[in-house]
Amino acid sequence: MPYPDELLVEGERVVVHKHPHWKMLIVPVLVFLVTVGLGAFLAALVSAQNWAGIAWIAIAVVGVVLVVWLTLVPLIRWRTTHFVVTTRRVLVREGVLSRQGIDIPMTRVNSVQFRHTVLERVFGCGTLVIESASDEPLEFHDVPGVERVHALLYQETDDDPRGGCRR
């Protein structure tokens, strides 16, 4: 889903729009599978008891709470986190009910770095570090295709056809 055009200023266009890397969802999916499997096992285990109905309700309630808290909430958090590079700024937006975000104008970007561990290289993600004119460096973790995003961000900060910086 593209970043909403109504949130951009006139003449601004999206260069990159990403959610955090899908590796953030590995643990929530495993929690879901283990919860469903364990719930089914426990439900089968108590099925011969005369209090099985109450046990099934308790197992279902605990299972639903675990799935919502440890699977659904991280999935929604992942889906509602946006890392966007436009022709004028870098935007990060997070949250569902309460939203927070940060914008860094391209003219304020001093340096762009990336790093990734061996495992992150296997997954194709990494950490992007943006140093702006007035703030401490900002780190954005689990950026998919971090090297490509790094190159595009550098290109946007140094996009003067005469060979010099736009600033």
Side-chain angles (χ1 to χ4, degrees):
M1 179 168 90
Y3 195 72
D5 288 336
E6 65 267 8
L7 299 179
L8 302 176
V9 299
E10 187 175 329
E12 184 177 28
R13 68 177 177 76
V14 173
V15 177
V16 174
H17 175 215
K18 301 215 178 244
H19 295 285
H21 195 269
W22 59 264
K23 77 174 185 158
M24 291 180 61
L25 299 176
I26 292 173
V27 171
V29 168
L30 290 176
V31 166
F32 174 77
L33 294 174
V34 168
T35 302
V36 169
L38 188 61
F41 174 76
L42 291 175
L45 196 64
V46 299
S47 64
Q49 305 299 322
N50 57 355
W51 43 269
I54 295 170
W56 287 341
I57 292 171
I59 291 168
V61 167
V62 170
V64 167
V65 168
L66 287 175
V67 165
V68 167
W69 181 39
L70 299 174
T71 300
L72 192 59
V73 169
L75 176 65
I76 292 170
R77 186 178 302 123
W78 172 82
R79 187 68 178 110
T80 59
T81 299
H82 301 271
F83 178 82
V84 182
V85 177
T86 72
T87 52
R88 294 188 180 181
R89 57 192 166 149
V90 178
L91 302 97
V92 177
R93 298 289 185 268
E94 300 175 309
V96 180
L97 300 176
S98 66
R99 303 248 327 142
Q100 65 181 15
I102 186 168
D103 293 6
I104 306 169
M106 289 295 182
T107 56
R108 306 277 295 179
V109 173
N110 287 342
S111 69
V112 183
Q113 304 171 19
F114 72 91
R115 64 177 176 265
H116 43 162
T117 64
V118 173
L119 187 59
E120 287 175 329
R121 289 184 74 182
V122 169
F123 280 122
C125 64
T127 300
L128 189 69
V129 182
I130 300 176
E131 200 172 310
S132 64
S134 63
D135 298 323
E136 290 190 24
L138 297 170
E139 294 188 5
F140 303 102
H141 302 281
D142 296 322
V143 176
V146 70
E147 289 186 59
R148 181 176 175 272
V149 173
H150 172 264
L152 288 170
L153 190 53
Y154 177 77
Q155 180 182 356
E156 288 300 318
T157 59
D158 190 26
D159 202 19
D160 190 343
R162 297 178 307 249
C165 190
R166 293 194 291 205
R167 292 180 230 156

